């Protein structure tokens, strides 16, 4: 039995919490089930100890004691720390549960990281459309294989006493003869360092990777012999939650392979605001940059190895991410993004070299960032609009990207307005008692029997459930509402004749899965607090749409097409999302899923410089509406805090269905 | 009494010589006269130990046992190593002298670095012309204050919710409004990182340091408030032997101050060839780069402190050096420079940022390198021609720079030919028994009494002599020849009635200073080996002139003007240099000293971009003649191995004077 001695002491201030005063004392911690051990100083914060051991524990708040996700079980030994502020049930506390981030190590420990606190290995991250279709889509969007970066094979001829110009001058001459305008040739240190040796290694036959910007030609890298056929690029989506990479054969535009992972920044907080705060503390900015770049390095290395791409052969990367992710990737402090008037350091980021951000394998590669629009509308959205093509259409369409954030763009070939709603990452599990990402063990579909209130659910991976993911939450909300488990305000009807409705530690709750069904030896429930959070989130999204429309004096009915992008978006059940009033009540055929448009747009820009230009034009054309200070957004938001909406006439389909079910609204 | 146990073992191969097998054993060495101690592993090479202690010992060969300069005296303790190959006299060996580079530490030691092996603190390095005159000279050369880098004060206005563009976009907008073409704005990481904070610190009033290259505008750095009046630049001469820096006020072009030091690379070898070899070994390249940049950092820091220049206010540096020095400064491997067909990696080096080479204080500064011409004609020479203005004159002039190397340019406004002669650094003391640089204790002037053969000399610093520098060597050669101490071939007349002529350990020698006169308790002599080396050196220089002239079908008499540049050149006695046949026999009024034209030209290019262009034109126009493979150079060289020359008719003045002295030639 573990001995927990809560001291009710406030958490130590950062910078001192690793027990500077007790350096001499060391403790060994063994983490289960991985059976990984590490040695730490006395008083070390247990959340940091998990990180130090190279392990992962869920956390939405980055270890600040605000989210209650980093539950661990002390199997042996003693920790001290603050009581866990209502995040632990009495039963859990009795079983040795504690929040890692609020515990300080006071002896050797055996600590179990329970399933619900672990990142699952198997998961589904949307990597975009069908690999074979992407090239066709790019061409459909008016693109062609015309990158800014190309390779040219050159035969320089060996120097002699009579032709003894410098190596670099010889290269320039060869480029001039090959039709390149090399008068303004730029070279970088790395290239110049290796030039003399590569020229001689290749017996004066070399391949130059060249990059043209306006009148300036730059030689990025140089290879012995003919290396024109081994020319690669990468499109990268740095999402708040996931990182996706496409490895692209630049000679034919084909996506060779793709890979994805969770953004390791997750351990520093789930949402961009938490990460911005983290970035402003200690070495937070460098740490966050390192984590994101580390993810990209790992994915690229895996892809390169698997597909036999030699190091240094990736010439060009196009990266898309929201504005905060882009700042963090560049290592630029994003702190002003979260303070009114919400100003990013940059929206159009400069080209940089792989080396500058710590990219391994291809330090010489040029990195381009898809253009951002404003603090909360980033390169992922200009990328998305490029893919949706709404900026070329006569009629007005709506583009929405529901990921960790909710961004939307309304417009046509004449105008584009955009906004971001601070929906928060509720649909990704944050603030929801059993909320989790769409990975193995997550309930992703729910049906409630209208008579018995029994719950049918489907779990990702067909295993016992450990929690509920976004699509499951939408289903839960819709089913509970349509079947009268909750009222229009999301309040659970206590009088309901079902043992699934019960009073838990944080008020009324509804049992989705019984203890015997679950993988965590606990009932999986949805609480009134959860319901409230979900309704706020869906209200914010809907209010965003409504505000943008009102801004343009339009009505939902005038929207020709509604494009849904984002990893999360792929798995939404449209009809249920309409039921809860998250999406407007439009005919289902007007909705179209586009997948991960962030990376698809980056892929377009990687291959075709004209499309890259187009994305920049899109970013420039977009008018950004700051919802957080909009009076009309607040009105819309308050009206949307009902299921489906205060004004049920805006949801005729739902109204009709409720009437059919003889249920008052 | 020190116990020296010569083992006659070959020097250990590099990488093992620091005693890897005996890591456990440590010895303490105390160096006199500085009384500096350090602890080293058993078997450590004593030359490296001196470096490790932060001290300096002379060395022309970089510690390879080839020059005999690194003499030290073992006062206590035991060293092992190779016998010192004839560099030590029997007397010296008896007094505990050994060559540091051939000795391995075998016990605690007390080691004296004697005066002749030390770099003297007081010295004279030519820093160029009069400080006040430089601006006038620049204007005379057609220059004006029109640098590529400028500063602009901008008032951006604070952002609001309605004007919430990104910081970088706000800066672009302000630049656009200030008349800069900011569409193609380039920014660097460093600038972007600090931009958000500087904008807010300056309350949206800032100064940008901007750099225009063609259509591209780059913001190099940004400062809060109005910083347009604190704009500095630096001109830097990286000589093989010395490093000189001018600190320049870019607002008015004035040279605020200048400073100089010996190039610390000296400890890795005296001449460029030795340094190239050193660069190709282990971390030699990085070490050499660090040493040169370290010199510049020290000089700049001193100048900035003394003249109250805040850090980060130097926007622009122009560096001039020979081709090898430029490679080493950039950290580019120069190894192909020394192998036929003698190809440098680059002649026109790319612009780089201070940070890239390790420049402290102004990491954001742009560094431009004066254009090089070929492997042995560098940026110091294009700089020199720019200052000499021979490239604008109707009549043909000769420009010569006699420093550690001997470079020459012949030409006028229509053509320019250039060559470098491998004279070697004899005139800087290398290969000369008591040779040394022009620093305190060096005999710099010599007169020999025609009857008694007594020697009158003048010593730099008016102290007891420790050796002889270049101008002293020329005097010695000329006086010995004119007074019949040596014959036309430089052989000492043994039959001469003077006790100054004697047979020493390496053959005949002539005593310049008796033991009682000298500061080193030894006679200072000039040996037949020395004379031979000096004659070879002067012959190479003269043969260079002659070959260039022959190449153009010209005669010496057609030369309108002969410009002498270089730190060493300043102190040459023209008539005596003619006497020994180093310079052609032309009227003295045709010769003009220009001082350190390397740095003066760098200063021109720093201030005036038009003159920078002109230097590039000069470098492009120059036709390089590779003397080392020239048949005609070999012929000329052989003919010049006499005093003054095989063909005495080429030296009518000398012929006449010899006749006057009734001496046969």
């Amino acid at each position: 039995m573990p001995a927990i001695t809560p001291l009710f002491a406030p958490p130590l201030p950062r910078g001192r919490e690793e027990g500077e005063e007790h350096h001499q004392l060391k403790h060994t911690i063994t983490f289960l089930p991985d059976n990984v051990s590490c040695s730490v100083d006395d008083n070390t914060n247990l959340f940091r100890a998990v990180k130090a051991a190279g392990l992962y524990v869920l956390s939405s708040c980055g270890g600040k004691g605000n989210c209650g996700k980093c539950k661990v079980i002390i199997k042996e030994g003693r920790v001290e720390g603050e009581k866990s502020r209502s995040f632990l049930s009495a039963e859990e506390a009795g079983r040795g549960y504690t929040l890692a981030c609020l515990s300080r190590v006071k002896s050797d420990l055996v600590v179990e990281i329970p399933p619900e606190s672990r990142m699952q290995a198997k998961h589904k991250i949307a990597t975009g459309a069908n690999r074979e279709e992407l090239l066709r889509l790019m061409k459909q969007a008016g693109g062609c294989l015309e990158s800014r970066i190309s390779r040219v094979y050159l035969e320089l001829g060996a120097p002699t006493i009579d032709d003894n110009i410098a190596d670099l001058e010889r290269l320039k001459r060869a480029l001039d003869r090959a039709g390149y305008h090399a008068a303004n040739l730029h070279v970088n240190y790395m290239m110049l360092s290796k030039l003399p040796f590569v020229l001689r290694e290749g017996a004066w036959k070399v391949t130059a990777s060249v990059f043209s910007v306006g009148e300036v030609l730059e030689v990025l890298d140089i290879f012995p012999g003919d290396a024109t056929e081994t020319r690669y690029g990468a499109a990268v989506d740095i999402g708040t939650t996931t990182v996706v990479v496409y490895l692209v054969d630049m000679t034919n535009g084909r996506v060779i392979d793709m890979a994805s992972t969770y953004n390791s920044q997750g351990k520093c907080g789930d949402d961009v605001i938490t990460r911005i705060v983290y970035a402003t503390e200690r070495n937070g900015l460098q740490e966050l940059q390192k984590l994101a770049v580390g993810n990209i390095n790992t994915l690229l290395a895996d892809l390169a190895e698997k597909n036999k791409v030699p190091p240094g052969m990736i010439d060009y990367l196009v990266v898309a991410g929201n504005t905060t992710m882009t700042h963090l990737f560049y290592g630029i402090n994003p702190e002003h993004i979260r303070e009114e008037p919400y100003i990013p350091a940059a929206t159009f980021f400069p080209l940089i070299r792989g080396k500058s951000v710590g990219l391994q394998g291809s330090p010489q590669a040029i990195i381009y960032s898809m253009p951002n629009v404003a603090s909360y509308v980033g390169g992922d959205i200009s990328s998305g609009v490029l893919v949706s093509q709404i900026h070329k259409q006569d009629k007005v369409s709506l583009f929405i990207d529901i990921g960790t954030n909710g961004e939307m763009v309304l417009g046509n070939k004449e105008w584009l307005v955009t906004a971001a709603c601070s929906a928060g990452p509720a649909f990704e599990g944050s603030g929801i008692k059993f909320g989790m990402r769409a990975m193995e063990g997550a309930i992703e579909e729910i049906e409630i029997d209208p008579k018995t209130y029994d719950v049918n659910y489907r779990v990702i991976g067909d295993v016992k459930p450990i929690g509920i993911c976004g699509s499951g939450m939408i289903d839960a909300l819709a089913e509970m509402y349509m079947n009268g488990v909750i009222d229009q305000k999301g309040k659970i009807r206590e009088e309901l004749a079902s043992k699934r409705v019960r009073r838990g530690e944080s008020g009324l709750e509804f049992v989705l899965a019984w203890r015997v069904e679950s993988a965590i030896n606990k009932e999986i429930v949805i609480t009134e607090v959860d319901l409230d959070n979900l309704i706020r989130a869906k209200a914010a999204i809907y209010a965003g749409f409504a505000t943008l429309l009102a801004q343009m004096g339009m009505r939902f009915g005038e929207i020709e097409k509604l494009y849904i992008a984002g990893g999360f978006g792929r798995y939404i059940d449209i009809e249920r999302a309409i039921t809860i009033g998250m999406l407007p009540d439009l005919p289902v055929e007007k909705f179209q899923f586009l997948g991960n448009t962030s990376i698809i747009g980056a892929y377009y820009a990687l291959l075709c410089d004209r499309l890259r230009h187009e994305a920049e034009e899109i970013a420039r054309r977009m008018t950004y509406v700051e919802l957080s200070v909009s009076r009309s957004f607040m009105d819309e938001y308050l009206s949307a805090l009902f299921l489906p909406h205060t004004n049920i006439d805006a949801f005729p389909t739902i109204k009709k269905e409720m009437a059919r079910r003889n249920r008052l609204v």
Side-chain angles (χ1 to χ4, degrees), chain A residues 224-246:
Chain A
D226 187 346
T228 51
E229 290 304 310
T230 49
R231 190 159 72 83
Y232 301 92
V236 180
D237 165 41
I238 310 178
T240 309
T241 308
T242 58
V243 178
V244 186
V245 172
Y246 287 0

Side-chain angles (χ1 to χ4, degrees), chain A residues 381-395:
Chain A
I381 303 306
S382 54
S383 208
V385 171
L386 179 68
V387 175
S388 76
Q389 298 278 299
I390 69 169
H391 65 294
K392 284 184 178 164
Q393 291 161 24
D394 292 326
K395 297 205 175 163

Side-chain angles (χ1 to χ4, degrees), chain A residues 460-473:
Chain A
I460 298 176
D462 289 321
V463 295
K464 283 190 168 189
I466 55 175
I468 179 167
C469 69
S471 57
M473 294 177 210

Side-chain angles (χ1 to χ4, degrees), chain A residues 340-383:
Chain A
E340 207 181 320
Y342 316 109
I343 307 296
T347 41
F348 289 73
F349 278 74
L351 292 167
I352 43 166
R353 220 164 284 280
K355 196 179 72 163
S356 319
V357 292
L359 204 73
Q360 290 156 3
S362 291
Q364 89 301 341
I366 286 283
I367 304 179
Y368 172 75
S369 158
M370 293 299 281
N372 302 274
V373 178
S375 273
Y376 296 104
V377 175
D380 49 347
I381 303 306
S382 54
S383 208

Side-chain angles (χ1 to χ4, degrees), chain A residues 560-578:
Chain A
E560 176 73 7
K561 208 88 170 133
L562 209 150
Y563 296 99
I564 303 178
F568 171 70
R570 260 179 95 83
Y571 306 103
I572 292 180
D573 180 315
I574 296 290
E575 291 179 3
R576 281 171 165 163
I578 294 172

Side-chain angles (χ1 to χ4, degrees), chain A residues 519-532:
Chain A
I520 53 174
N521 197 24
K522 276 188 274 191
E523 280 93 12
I524 294 171
V525 303
I526 193 152
T527 69
E528 275 195 346
V529 176
D530 294 343
L531 293 166
D532 196 47

Side-chain angles (χ1 to χ4, degrees), chain A residues 266-560:
Chain A
K267 63 179 139 187
C268 308
D270 267 359
D271 58 274
V272 295
I273 297 298
T274 319
R275 300 222 191 129
I276 293 172
V277 173
Y278 195 94
T280 59
E281 291 169 352
R282 281 210 293 190
N283 294 320
L285 178 61
Q286 285 69 33
E287 191 186 333
L288 288 164
Q289 184 187 33
K290 238 173 149 174
L291 288 168
V293 175
N295 288 145
I296 299 169
N297 276 335
T298 306
L299 294 176
L300 276 178
D302 289 352
L303 286 174
E305 198 195 331
K306 191 172 145 204
N307 296 284
K308 301 190 178 20
V309 173
M313 290 299 164
I314 295 178
D315 290 345
Y316 191 21
L317 284 93
V318 176
V319 166
N322 65 48
T323 311
T324 299
M325 288 303 116
T326 311
H327 277 68
L328 295 178
F329 173 71
Y330 274 75
I332 302 293
N333 194 317
E335 76 174 77
H336 304 292
I337 287 181
R338 63 181 270 269
E339 297 159 358
E340 207 181 320
Y342 316 109
I343 307 296
T347 41
F348 289 73
F349 278 74
L351 292 167
I352 43 166
R353 220 164 284 280
K355 196 179 72 163
S356 319
V357 292
L359 204 73
Q360 290 156 3
S362 291
Q364 89 301 341
I366 286 283
I367 304 179
Y368 172 75
S369 158
M370 293 299 281
N372 302 274
V373 178
S375 273
Y376 296 104
V377 175
D380 49 347
I381 303 306
S382 54
S383 208
V385 171
L386 179 68
V387 175
S388 76
Q389 298 278 299
I390 69 169
H391 65 294
K392 284 184 178 164
Q393 291 161 24
D394 292 326
K395 297 205 175 163
V396 174
S397 301
L398 183 63
F399 170 88
I400 56 176
D401 188 332
I402 308 174
T404 312
N405 309 297
E407 298 100 342
M408 50 204 70
V409 184
L410 181 73
N412 60 13
K413 67 180 182 188
E414 270 146 33
W415 53 267
L416 294 166
V417 292
T418 183
C421 59
S422 43
F427 288 111
E428 293 191 321
S430 197
I432 308 299
K433 186 160 181 151
F434 287 90
M436 64 184 290
R437 292 172 187 160
M439 49 195 181
E440 191 171 273
I443 296 174
E444 60 167 350
E445 277 179 43
I446 286 173
E447 253 181 35
I448 295 177
D449 186 289
K451 299 206 175 70
T452 64
Y453 305 113
D454 267 358
V455 180
N456 272 318
Y457 54 79
R458 209 157 68 87
V459 179
I460 298 176
D462 289 321
V463 295
K464 283 190 168 189
I466 55 175
I468 179 167
C469 69
S471 57
M473 294 177 210
I474 291 172
D475 279 12
L477 208 54
E479 287 288 299
M480 287 167 85
Y481 172 59
M482 293 302 284
N483 293 303
V485 178
I486 54 174
D487 67 11
Q488 239 199 319
K489 291 179 182 166
K491 296 296 164 203
I492 295 176
R493 294 188 213 269
E494 196 170 5
E495 70 279 14
L496 207 75
S498 166
K499 60 182 189 324
R500 286 183 185 265
V501 172
R502 65 184 197 187
R503 189 161 289 274
E505 296 196 349
S506 54
L508 285 176
E509 57 188 33
F510 182 78
V511 178
L512 295 174
W514 296 107
R515 181 188 287 248
V516 290
E517 300 167 43
S518 87
I520 53 174
N521 197 24
K522 276 188 274 191
E523 280 93 12
I524 294 171
V525 303
I526 193 152
T527 69
E528 275 195 346
V529 176
D530 294 343
L531 293 166
D532 196 47
N533 281 334
L534 291 172
I535 289 175
R536 285 172 195 276
K538 76 95 190 170
I541 294 169
Y542 185 84
F545 301 151
T547 307
L548 275 194
L549 278 173
Q551 186 99 354
M552 303 309 295
M554 288 181 68
R555 302 157 60 93
F556 278 110
E558 295 173 67
I559 294 176
E560 176 73 7

